């Protein structure tokens, strides 16, 4: 099995994660890699101990390197892009995944949200990317 995938399979579909964020008693896991079955977000209810797999569509496909990091924003969970150029916006009430506007392609690992702005941690290089959730716009900052 690949990277301990047999131990990581949820609902007999192999999905690995790279972060989680909570809204109330719901914890939403950010999809990183899908080796079997369609890409999915998993929701864990801390109170009921129930886990639900929600298949998603869009730029995420089977394979590697979707999102890295998650943070709660209002009633949504935002996923930081890893090898994507869009943030993922998961609406917990409708259980749907949408995407923000495309930004420049950069590898990021990790994120934080300050007010309405996602700040992405660069994995390679110095450029810090920000994405405004209200205006749907990107800004790249090069401190050099």
């Amino acid at each position: 099995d690949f990277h301990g995938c047999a131990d990581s399979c949820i609902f007999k579909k192999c999905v690995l994660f790279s972060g989680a964020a909570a809204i109330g008693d719901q914890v939403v896991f950010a999809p990183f890699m899908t080796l079997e079955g369609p890409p999915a977000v998993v929701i864990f209810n801390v109170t009921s101990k129930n886990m639900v797999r929600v298949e998603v569509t869009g730029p995420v496909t089977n394979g590697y390197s979707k999102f890295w990091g998650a943070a709660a924003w209002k009633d949504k969970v935002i996923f930081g892009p890893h090898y994507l150029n869009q943030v993922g916006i998961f609406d917990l009430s409708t259980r749907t995944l949408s995407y923000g506007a495309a930004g420049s392609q950069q590898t990021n690992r990790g994120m934080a949200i300050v007010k309405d702005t996602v700040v992405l941690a660069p994995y390679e290089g110095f450029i810090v990317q920000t994405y405004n959730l209200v205006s749907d716009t990107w800004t790249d900052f090069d401190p050099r």
Side-chain angles (χ1 to χ4, degrees):
D1 64 78
F2 182 76
H3 294 293
C5 181
D7 296 330
S8 301
C9 290
I10 294 178
F11 305 110
K12 302 189 189 269
K13 305 288 184 184
C14 195
V15 181
L16 303 176
F17 307 101
S18 62
I23 297 176
D25 63 353
Q26 310 278 325
V27 178
V28 178
F29 296 92
F32 174 68
M33 180 186 306
T34 304
L35 299 177
E36 298 173 18
V41 170
V42 169
I43 305 165
F44 177 68
N45 185 303
V46 175
T47 304
S48 69
K49 308 296 189 250
N50 184 41
M51 188 174 279
V52 177
R53 181 181 192 278
V54 179
E55 293 181 4
V56 295
T57 59
V60 297
T61 59
N62 286 353
Y64 181 68
S65 301
K66 295 165 188 46
F67 300 109
W68 196 294
W73 178 71
K74 300 183 180 181
D75 61 345
K76 296 174 177 47
V77 174
I78 310 304
F79 301 139
H82 184 51
Y83 283 120
L84 290 174
N85 63 349
Q86 296 170 279
V87 297
I89 304 166
F90 187 76
D91 187 317
L92 190 56
S93 63
T94 62
R95 295 188 177 185
T96 56
L97 180 64
S98 60
Y99 300 87
S104 61
Q105 183 66 45
Q106 177 175 305
T107 305
N108 297 293
R109 276 204 179 164
M111 59 171 284
I113 297 177
V114 180
K115 297 183 184 175
D116 296 325
T117 301
V118 176
V119 180
L120 298 164
Y123 174 58
E124 301 170 323
F126 298 98
I127 296 172
V128 175
Q129 292 183 304
T130 65
Y131 171 76
N132 187 285
L133 290 155
V134 175
S135 65
D136 195 29
T137 56
W138 287 87
T139 305
D140 292 350
F141 295 97
D142 187 342
R144 295 171 288 163

